[in-house]
Amino acid sequence: MCSLDHSILYPISCCVPNKCRRCSAYILLLLMFHLLLLLLSCCGAADIPDGSLPESLGNLVNMQLFSAYDNQLTGPLIEGFANMTSLNRMLLQNNKLSGSLNNEAVFAADMTVLEIIDLSNNKLSGSIPRSIFRLPRVTTIALSLNW
């Protein structure tokens, strides 16, 4: 079992080795409300209970970068993303996220600093929500290879 040092709160730095499948990034999500960056890329869905994104991610309102690509994550996009009003980049490509992309509640008008949305190579369906086009700073929307 890996251990995480919680004695240093600012800045928070944590590396979860790829071979350590018993480490729970999920618990880290629930405890660190001041987290600015969350890099879970290439961890594998085994590190996240049931392979889906917890709605509690929305509690991380100061999050600026959320990177969880190449993890085989499943389930829908969570409405909790709309609470992440400091989010600059959402990188969720190369997973198995499914459900309708056309959920206006996922991309809220308060997400005024969001620039990059990469949801390519998932299993999302439906039309692109109009709310994405109302976000003032979005420069990149990657949605290819969804089916």
Side-chain angles (χ1 to χ4, degrees):
M1 168 95 41
C2 288
S3 63
L4 301 175
D5 182 2
H6 297 290
S7 62
I8 301 173
L9 295 179
Y10 297 99
I12 296 169
S13 177
C14 174
C15 177
V16 179
N18 199 23
K19 291 183 180 179
C20 186
R21 296 291 182 203
R22 296 196 188 277
C23 290
S24 180
Y26 184 76
I27 292 171
L28 181 65
L29 288 176
L30 296 175
L31 297 176
M32 307 279 189
F33 295 108
H34 297 285
L35 197 62
L36 298 179
L37 309 173
L38 185 57
L39 307 173
L40 296 174
S41 302
C42 304
C43 288
D47 289 330
I48 300 172
D50 81 14
S52 62
L53 296 169
E55 195 64 43
S56 59
L57 274 173
N59 295 332
L60 301 173
V61 296
N62 295 318
M63 177 83 62
Q64 295 174 7
L65 169 65
F66 181 64
S67 177
Y69 62 86
D70 291 335
N71 279 306
Q72 298 186 35
L73 294 173
T74 60
L77 293 174
I78 58 168
E79 293 182 8
F81 281 126
N83 298 329
M84 300 170 132
T85 56
S86 298
L87 194 62
N88 178 278
R89 295 170 190 214
M90 176 189 294
L91 307 175
L92 287 165
Q93 67 270 29
N94 301 323
N95 282 294
K96 295 180 181 180
L97 296 172
S98 60
S100 178
L101 178 63
N102 193 10
N103 183 348
E104 296 286 332
V106 173
F107 301 100
D110 292 341
M111 299 177 86
T112 58
V113 296
L114 187 60
E115 294 179 5
I116 298 173
I117 302 167
D118 193 342
L119 299 170
S120 59
N121 199 21
N122 278 289
K123 296 180 179 184
L124 297 168
S125 60
S127 58
I128 300 169
R130 293 177 192 219
S131 57
I132 286 182
F133 300 109
R134 292 186 198 114
L135 301 176
R137 297 191 64 190
V138 171
T139 59
T140 305
I141 303 170
L143 297 170
S144 63
L145 300 174
N146 275 287
W147 47 275

